[in-house]
Amino acid sequence: MSRIKRVPHCSHWGAYTILVEDDRIVGIEPFQHDPAPSPIIHSIAEWANPERRVLRPMVRSGWLDKREKSDRRGRGREKFVAVSWDEATTLVADEVRRVAGTFGNASIFAGSYGWTNSGRLHHASSLLKRMLNLVGGFTRHVDTYSIAAGPVILRHTLGNDDACGGRANTLDTIAQHTETLVVFGALSPRTAQNEAGGIGSHRLETYLRQIVERGVKVIHVSPLKDDLPDWVSAEWWPIRPNTDAALMLGLAGEIVKAGRHDRDFLARCTSGADRLLGYLEGKTDGVRKEAVWAANICGLDADRIATLANRLVDTRSMLTVSWSLQRAHHGEQPFWAALGLASVVGQIGLPGGGVGYGYASLGGVGAPLNLGRSPAISQLTRPIDSFIPVARISDMLLNPGRPFSYEGEIRTYPDTRLVYWAGGNPYHHHQDLNRLSEAWTRPETIIVQDPMFTATAQRADIVLPATTSIERNDLAGNRRSDFILAMKKAIEPLGESRSDFEIFNAIAGRLGVADRFNEGRDEMGWVRHLYEACRSDASQRFGFAMPDFDAFWEAGYARCPVKAEHTFLADFRNEPEAHALRTESGKIVLGSETLARLDYADCRPHPAWIEPAEWLGNIADAGQMHLISHQPAGRLHSQLETGASSRAMKRNGREQARLHPDDAAILGIEDGRTIRIWNGRGECLATAEITDKVRRGVLVLPTGAWFTPTGNSGLEVAGNPNVLTLDIGTSQFGQGCSAHTCLVRVEPYAADRRDAFEAYQETLVALAAV
């Protein structure tokens, strides 16, 4: 007689218990200490569905015949041949040796950054880099697609990126002390349901309700009204996309014009303020930056801007800035301009005052600070220092040997011969996928290790089937979570799939470095080791008692030492010299000597409004719309795209694209109609959703639909917005992702005859034919 087994587990969207009967998932229960569990947890049974899974090691037929001399345009077109694990790991090890020996280790690019699962042992990206570091190294990426330009400018102006990594004011201090809260972008449970490395308790809604109960004045600046829950009753300012920096500078300019700026704070705690003040006063270009100037750029009311400027000074005011704002051309500027505005107001370092970045962009940002060590397997020492900015992959593949700039340094793109992608899907998160498809033909060999037959895996030479997290043992935890969580194996591996640790350990064995890779530990040995390191740290540094490993593993979770009610830069504000920042001046940099020397047109020596390459203030005709491609509510990125919560967000098998009723009427688009969205970079289909919660001139299409181009036309039928997005760096300084700078055209689809899942099925049938 079968009995239901209860298995504690965790994913990026939260902790839960899996109910298993006869090796089948029969139910999911939320974590008992989570006040707002994510609905995505109920989709995880989809991982056990073999339809999209990689079930055995496979090699592209053309590559198997001719290896590095094969026709690289056969990727995604030729059939795969199933091989044994012994053959697969030998092929991979031989390629690593060949490329490193012939071209040098910098010609190996180790892609991805590990969103496959929240486990800290089976973190595919870390294990890949650990293995390659033992055999001479690789070319890596720096920063992430989510946030790159922001940390770069904050490291320069604040000395580190704590303010955008979860170490600014905690949300409890905002709920207690703030009187005016200006939200630039979002404070949404939609994005706060996720956290890299897992999350135990979702707290955002709790803090938002406290903010509402206290009667805090909330100004919401976003093209999307539902970037903040309706029950917050915020004042919505539907700004033109990509113009937030102009609004911030206009507010600062109004305060300076009235002589109400905090001269003492600027003198004691900032450097280069004269550069910023001169810019606001129009000394550099003859244009004073104030309410009317900002209103004309942002499409907002000048009187409301002027009123808000006064209120920011009169009340305890806090600025929150979403990560999304810096994923745009010149994305450094809204982050720097917000810091400039907060400095002009002068409340940085006061409880509930100042500026912070990324609240609700991930669930742990703004939560009480985890003081202890986070579990993570070491990537070991890097033998070489070769890297690219994270979103410059196509540039690297298309332009070997060409110079690029990053943080003021000139570097050179490597001659990439081997790409090893583990636990990620650039055909989801990279921009201008048609350009990436061309770049993808340049490397001699592409290895993809993944549980799923993603578009990236379909375009590989060697595909290695990894298990999902529910088929192995692991643990979750990170510096923004107050729990370490057990991730117990729930079901047996599908097909011939193996855990990421097993796969890399086997390849390390072929390369002769297995002993140093595994350090004599198996899976459970590593899980125990990683946990006990955190437990020991909590005890030694904070006197905080965590249960021993066996008790933790039995209970499924352990609490970590945390600090609540944190005020960012409080000590620095009180004693700037004693608590100097790691910047060029030891203070907050509002005018940069470094950037003055570099003299970049696209990143000036002070915060500035610089027109993006594409925006609604400079379009050739009224037929263009600004595309926003944000994180969907029903899944994380492209994971579990066919899960129940993801399917609930689709219509007619496609992603839904939201637009304003007035735009829909002009374009002749009805709710539920299939629409074609296009520009010079590509085209895709989506289903129209008509709503007044979107600013006029804006189209919203979430990310994550599996890339599904059809035939020779290249028309993408599932609704993947990255066939449309702009693949340029934010600036020469930050080189971040500019996905949110994107103009498109929209029309009803005349040949409304093809469902996206038909194309999915055709691909899956072809793969199954192996």
Side-chain angles (χ1 to χ4, degrees):
M1 181 173 168
S2 64
R3 192 165 66 89
I4 291 179
K5 180 173 62 172
R6 301 170 59 82
V7 182
H9 208 73
C10 184
S11 298
H12 293 299
W13 45 86
Y16 47 89
T17 298
I18 307 173
L19 307 183
V20 181
E21 185 176 21
D22 295 331
D23 207 41
R24 289 187 309 107
I25 297 172
V26 296
I28 302 292
E29 293 178 351
F31 183 47
Q32 58 185 314
H33 298 294
D34 192 345
S38 165
I40 301 176
I41 64 175
H42 298 289
S43 293
I44 65 113
E46 187 67 13
W47 277 336
N49 181 352
E51 187 177 72
R52 284 192 171 190
R53 290 288 299 271
V54 185
L55 298 175
R56 60 189 62 84
M58 290 188 290
V59 182
R60 179 172 63 89
S61 59
W63 190 93
L64 194 57
D65 290 339
K66 298 182 179 179
R67 307 294 170 93
E68 70 272 15
K69 295 182 173 59
S70 70
D71 179 2
R72 300 164 199 171
R73 296 189 182 275
R75 292 175 183 141
R77 296 183 174 91
E78 296 175 353
K79 285 188 176 183
F80 286 101
V81 177
V83 298
S84 69
W85 270 111
D86 281 348
E87 184 174 0
T89 53
T90 298
L91 289 173
V92 171
D94 287 348
E95 275 304 283
V96 170
R97 284 197 197 92
R98 180 187 70 82
V99 172
T102 305
F103 304 103
N105 282 74
S107 290
I108 301 172
F109 180 69
S112 188
Y113 44 93
W115 275 106
T116 352
N117 79 93
S118 57
R120 300 296 84 191
L121 167 61
H122 297 291
H123 187 252
S125 177
S126 292
L127 291 171
L128 168 62
K129 293 167 185 174
R130 179 183 178 90
M131 181 191 75
L132 290 175
N133 277 331
L134 289 171
V135 293
F138 58 93
T139 293
R140 60 192 170 99
H141 73 263
V142 292
D143 305 318
T144 73
Y145 280 85
S146 297
I147 186 161
V152 168
I153 198 66
L154 293 185
R155 289 195 292 265
H156 183 63
T157 58
L158 283 173
N160 59 45
D161 55 12
D162 284 357
C164 65
R167 300 273 157 168
N169 295 348
T170 47
L171 283 166
D172 51 15
T173 67
I174 296 171
Q176 292 172 39
H177 300 285
T178 301
E179 296 169 306
T180 301
L181 177 63
V182 184
V183 178
F184 289 95
L187 271 180
S188 174
R190 172 178 55 81
T191 47
Q193 66 186 319
N194 302 309
E195 176 58 69
I199 186 168
S201 58
H202 295 86
R203 298 170 178 258
L204 175 66
E205 291 187 47
T206 300
Y207 295 128
L208 285 177
R209 294 194 184 279
Q210 292 173 3
I211 286 169
V212 171
E213 288 168 6
R214 277 194 58 240
V216 177
K217 176 72 172 179
V218 181
I219 307 294
H220 180 212
V221 182
S222 172
L224 314 181
K225 186 176 183 181
D226 56 3
D227 267 347
L228 200 63
D230 285 341
W231 47 264
V232 174
S233 299
E235 186 177 309
W236 181 35
W237 289 22
I239 193 170
R240 276 181 180 152
N242 289 191
T243 65
D244 300 80
L247 175 58
M248 296 165 183
L249 294 165
L251 288 164
E254 278 290 319
I255 294 168
V256 171
K257 183 173 70 173
R260 305 195 67 197
H261 50 298
D262 191 328
R263 294 177 175 84
D264 175 68
F265 181 85
L266 292 173
R268 289 192 311 111
C269 298
T270 75
S271 66
D274 55 326
R275 287 185 187 272
L276 174 59
L277 296 180
Y279 174 72
L280 296 176
E281 294 166 357
K283 292 179 180 178
T284 55
D285 57 8
V287 178
R288 177 176 280 278
K289 317 303 180 295
E290 37 74 72
V292 173
W293 170 83
N296 289 333
I297 295 170
C298 302
L300 298 172
D301 181 76
D303 290 340
R304 295 173 87 182
I305 295 173
T307 300
L308 177 58
N310 285 321
R311 184 177 176 90
L312 291 176
V313 177
D314 292 337
T315 64
R316 182 60 54 85
S317 57
M318 178 70 191
L319 314 176
T320 72
V321 185
S322 292
W323 285 358
S324 59
L325 267 65
Q326 52 83 63
R327 290 197 296 274
H329 199 204
H330 311 128
E332 298 81 7
Q333 300 311 313
F335 269 42
W336 199 3
L339 180 60
L341 172 57
S343 297
V344 165
V345 173
Q347 296 181 19
I348 293 173
L350 299 177
V355 61
Y357 308 84
Y359 296 102
S361 294
L362 286 177
V365 179
L369 308 183
N370 182 344
L371 301 176
R373 176 173 175 168
S374 297
I377 190 164
S378 172
Q379 298 178 15
L380 305 177
T381 303
R382 289 194 295 267
I384 62 172
D385 184 31
S386 177
F387 71 81
I388 64 165
V390 64
R392 304 273 59 81
I393 292 167
S394 292
D395 287 354
M396 173 188 72
L397 297 179
L398 292 169
N399 303 295
R402 180 176 294 182
F404 67 91
S405 63
Y406 177 76
E407 290 195 351
E409 294 185 357
I410 302 298
R411 289 179 169 261
T412 302
Y413 287 124
D415 180 10
T416 305
R417 302 298 178 117
L418 170 62
V419 171
Y420 197 144
W421 214 285
N425 181 13
Y427 279 88
H428 149 64
H429 60 239
H430 194 68
Q431 286 64 66
D432 194 349
L433 292 181
N434 290 315
R435 182 171 185 253
L436 176 64
S437 294
E438 178 59 33
W440 209 245
T441 66
R442 303 304 172 89
E444 294 173 345
T445 302
I446 295 176
I447 303 165
V448 172
Q449 181 170 315
D450 204 280
M452 302 294 174
F453 240 127
T454 64
T456 304
Q458 292 166 31
R459 291 160 176 78
D461 298 313
I462 302 173
V463 185
L464 304 179
T467 52
T468 64
S469 67
I470 62 175
E471 299 155 77
R472 58 204 189 190
N473 294 300
D474 211 330
L475 76 171
N478 66 84
R479 65 192 185 112
R480 290 187 289 260
S481 175
D482 50 357
F483 291 94
I484 293 179
L485 297 140
M487 298 173 62
K488 294 187 181 181
K489 179 180 176 180
I491 63 172
E492 291 301 314
L494 268 65
E496 298 175 23
S497 59
R498 295 182 177 180
S499 73
D500 286 294
F501 180 80
E502 286 180 282
I503 295 170
F504 286 118
N505 193 45
I507 298 169
R510 301 284 184 191
L511 293 168
V513 294
D515 290 347
R516 286 187 288 162
F517 178 83
N518 60 47
E519 296 182 16
R521 300 184 186 95
D522 60 8
E523 178 185 75
M524 286 307 299
W526 270 106
V527 172
R528 181 182 292 270
H529 174 75
L530 295 176
Y531 174 80
E532 289 293 357
C534 297
R535 176 174 174 247
S536 175
D537 175 76
S539 174
Q540 292 177 13
R541 288 202 294 143
F542 306 105
F544 184 87
M546 296 173 65
D548 65 24
F549 177 79
D550 292 333
F552 154 71
W553 197 246
E554 174 67 24
Y557 68 93
R559 293 185 182 274
C560 304
V562 298
K563 175 189 177 184
E565 299 184 18
H566 171 70
T567 297
F568 181 58
L569 293 184
D571 292 338
F572 168 74
R573 177 190 181 91
N574 293 331
E575 296 181 282
E577 289 78 18
H579 300 279
L581 307 180
R582 295 194 299 271
T583 63
E584 63 184 25
S585 61
K587 299 181 179 183
I588 296 170
V589 175
L590 301 183
S592 166
E593 295 301 321
T594 298
L595 284 168
R597 289 194 299 272
L598 292 170
D599 194 26
Y600 292 147
D602 57 3
C603 195
R604 298 175 188 170
H606 53 76
W609 157 248
I610 310 173
E611 284 195 32
E614 299 178 9
W615 71 297
L616 292 174
N618 184 20
I619 56 177
D621 58 66
Q624 294 176 288
M625 301 184 73
H626 195 114
L627 176 68
I628 292 177
S629 48
H630 67 181
Q631 174 65 32
R635 61 179 177 269
L636 170 61
H637 304 315
S638 61
Q639 290 190 50
L640 294 174
E641 195 251 10
T642 54
S645 58
S646 176
R647 291 198 310 270
M649 303 290 113
K650 297 175 182 283
R651 236 189 320 178
N652 305 329
R654 296 190 178 93
E655 294 301 310
Q656 297 191 76
R658 296 192 292 157
L659 69 164
H660 192 276
D662 293 348
D663 292 322
I666 291 171
L667 295 166
I669 293 172
E670 300 173 354
D671 189 73
R673 178 72 186 271
T674 300
I675 56 176
R676 174 178 172 253
I677 311 166
W678 86 101
N679 58 23
R681 293 178 285 274
E683 57 180 343
C684 70
L685 301 183
T687 302
E689 179 187 356
I690 313 304
T691 174
D692 61 3
K693 294 184 178 181
V694 176
R695 187 193 195 279
R696 285 200 62 183
V698 171
L699 184 77
V700 184
L701 180 61
T703 64
W706 277 34
F707 179 56
T708 313
T710 57
N712 295 322
S713 69
L715 174 66
E716 203 285 326
V717 298
N720 188 319
N722 275 323
V723 299
L724 305 160
T725 48
L726 188 63
D727 186 17
I728 60 172
T730 51
S731 77
Q732 296 175 77
F733 193 65
Q735 292 286 8
C737 159
S738 297
H740 288 314
T741 297
C742 179
L743 292 181
V744 297
R745 299 178 184 274
V746 186
E747 67 180 4
Y749 182 48
D752 190 3
R753 65 188 186 275
R754 184 176 176 85
D755 189 275
F757 285 140
E758 291 180 34
Y760 290 155
Q761 283 301 125
E762 289 176 7
T763 300
L764 293 168
V765 167
L767 294 172
V770 174

